[in-house]
Amino acid sequence: MDNVIKKIEALGLGIHISKGIERTIIGVIGDESIIRNQPLDALPGVEKVMPILKPYKLASREFKPENSIIDVDGIEIGGNKIAVIAGPCSVESVDSLVEIAAGVQHAGATLLRGGAFKPRTSPYAFQGLGEEGLKYLDVARKKTGLKVITELMDPRETELLEKYADIIQIGARNMQNFRLLMEVVLQKKPVLLKRGMSSTIKELLMSAEYIMSQGNYNVILCERGIRTFEDYTRNTLDLSAIPVIKELSHLPVVVDPSHAVGRWELILPMAKAAIAAGADGLMIEVHNDPGSALCDGAQSLLPKKFAQLMDEVKAVAHAVGREI
Ligand code: PEP
Ligand code: MN
């Protein structure tokens, strides 16, 4: 393999390596015309040279046929076991956060969500507690052992978030904020990339490519509903995106039914549907007092309802050969 790498490097091209069980794929990135004139398939150890036609290369199944499993400090996302992320929309107080964290952990979640920097439609709405909120997440992590995911909105806060988050969330509104995407590669922390509300699956994969092209392969994709003409629900959950992404990409897919439907009553059936359709994980908003939540109370489940969701989702997971 070294001979191939040396040759590619000598041509001034970029290299991305994917080690599979049967073969190693060396992804070559750069000007195609340079490669076209090189008999790379004549090099010892090369089985074949294949152009990846899709505009997303590193995110494509062609580049990596096996599913990617992202390791979040011991918790795997993308393997047989379904990962459940749960918690409030935004971090509000340390007491409520710890109470919610204990509740969701008891029900079987392994990751805690909670925004400290909130992307709100109105400038007058609660914008999040900032670093104070991150500190509360750290308290909840230490008390429960849950891993923490929180949203990065501004490249200037990357270092701060990396200190506190186990997974960095890129929200729907920032899916195509390319400078932000380039920032989240610094420590190779796992990134959960949410699909923009008006973005195609291809655009989502191109945004994943931005992160991966900078050397961070730990990308988790998230379907969170898209805008359609239907306004009964907050968005429309694009269930078919799950098998489509699975066909096109090796990256894990997490589904967020909370932001998709916007109403707590509809979250349970959509969570079950997502798992039946092949999702690798769920992100669910949970609050101990949804009526007084500072953000997204209408779509937040009480911990007791979340426990019921976990029970019912478990049956679906087992029916499709998954653990939870
Ligand atoms: C969130 O997860 O709190 C959030 C703001 O979601 P989205 O970016 O999908 O709207
Ligand atoms: Mn929310």
Side-chain angles (χ1 to χ4, degrees):
M1 196 170 83
D2 287 352
N3 57 327
V4 183
I5 293 173
K6 268 200 202 108
K7 173 80 184 166
I8 297 166
E9 278 174 349
L11 293 168
L13 300 164
I15 288 180
H16 293 266
I17 294 173
S18 158
K19 276 201 165 69
I21 297 159
E22 287 182 8
R23 57 178 67 82
T24 296
I25 299 177
I26 303 176
V28 183
I29 308 269
D31 183 351
E32 264 172 65
S33 63
I34 300 175
I35 311 166
R36 218 176 293 134
N37 301 323
Q38 293 294 327
L40 290 176
D41 39 6
L43 293 173
V46 176
E47 185 185 322
K48 65 176 169 202
V49 178
M50 212 174 63
I52 294 181
L53 300 173
K54 300 256 171 28
Y56 41 89
K57 314 278 180 198
L58 305 171
S60 76
R61 266 244 187 247
E62 287 159 272
F63 173 62
K64 186 169 181 285
E66 304 94 13
N67 288 337
S68 278
I69 300 177
I70 312 297
D71 177 35
V72 186
D73 207 9
I75 307 243
E76 291 188 337
I77 303 184
N80 190 51
K81 195 167 156 56
I82 285 156
V84 181
I85 305 165
C89 180
S90 57
V91 177
E92 296 175 8
S93 74
V94 71
D95 290 345
S96 73
L97 184 68
V98 168
E99 189 183 324
I100 296 165
V104 300
Q105 183 189 37
H106 186 68
T110 50
L111 298 114
L112 175 67
R113 63 151 289 142
F117 298 95
K118 295 300 304 175
R120 302 305 298 276
T121 302
S122 165
Y124 309 118
F126 176 59
Q127 304 287 313
L129 295 179
E131 186 169 5
E132 199 59 25
L134 298 177
K135 287 184 179 154
Y136 297 168
L137 283 166
D138 194 38
V139 172
R141 169 177 36 216
K142 288 195 173 115
K143 287 213 165 166
T144 59
L146 292 170
K147 305 296 171 207
V148 161
I149 169 165
T150 192
E151 178 166 350
L152 174 69
M153 278 179 57
D154 186 326
R156 289 169 296 190
E157 280 141 11
T158 312
E159 266 179 47
L160 184 63
L161 248 86
E162 273 167 351
K163 211 166 97 193
Y164 290 99
D166 298 302
I167 303 180
I168 292 176
Q169 176 172 326
I170 301 289
R173 289 157 192 80
N174 275 316
M175 189 202 85
Q176 285 191 314
N177 183 340
F178 300 117
R179 285 298 299 271
L180 190 65
L181 299 181
M182 308 281 264
E183 280 297 319
V184 293
V185 299
L186 301 175
Q187 292 181 8
K188 297 201 168 38
K189 274 247 158 114
V191 178
L192 181 125
L193 178 65
K194 294 188 111 179
R195 179 180 180 183
M197 56 196 80
S198 305
S199 299
T200 63
I201 294 169
K202 186 171 150 189
E203 286 163 343
L204 172 65
L205 292 171
M206 289 309 290
S207 289
E209 189 77 12
Y210 259 92
I211 302 169
M212 298 175 85
S213 67
Q214 299 299 304
N216 186 349
Y217 298 165
N218 297 315
V219 180
I220 303 151
L221 303 172
C222 179
E223 163 59 38
R224 46 77 74 205
I226 50 174
R227 280 241 165 119
T228 65
F229 57 81
E230 180 54 71
D231 62 2
Y232 192 77
T233 47
R234 183 173 178 180
N235 291 285
T236 297
L237 181 59
D238 183 6
L239 277 174
S240 58
I242 306 161
V244 170
I245 294 171
K246 288 276 159 201
E247 185 183 307
L248 300 177
S249 176
H250 52 88
L251 297 172
V253 183
V254 163
V255 170
D256 169 354
S258 306
H259 289 89
V261 297
R263 292 177 32 201
W264 70 266
E265 308 93 304
L266 304 174
I267 292 166
L268 173 52
M270 289 298 96
K272 289 197 282 190
I275 297 306
D280 299 298
L282 293 170
M283 175 182 265
I284 311 281
E285 285 189 337
V286 177
H287 198 283
N288 53 352
D289 183 7
S292 64
L294 296 177
C295 182
D296 286 349
Q299 65 190 39
S300 297
L301 294 178
L302 280 163
K304 202 173 69 197
K305 282 275 170 208
F306 173 70
Q308 183 193 340
L309 176 144
M310 288 296 284
D311 268 355
E312 295 194 24
V313 163
K314 199 173 284 173
V316 176
H318 291 161
V320 294
R322 306 285 294 259
E323 292 300 316
I324 186 162

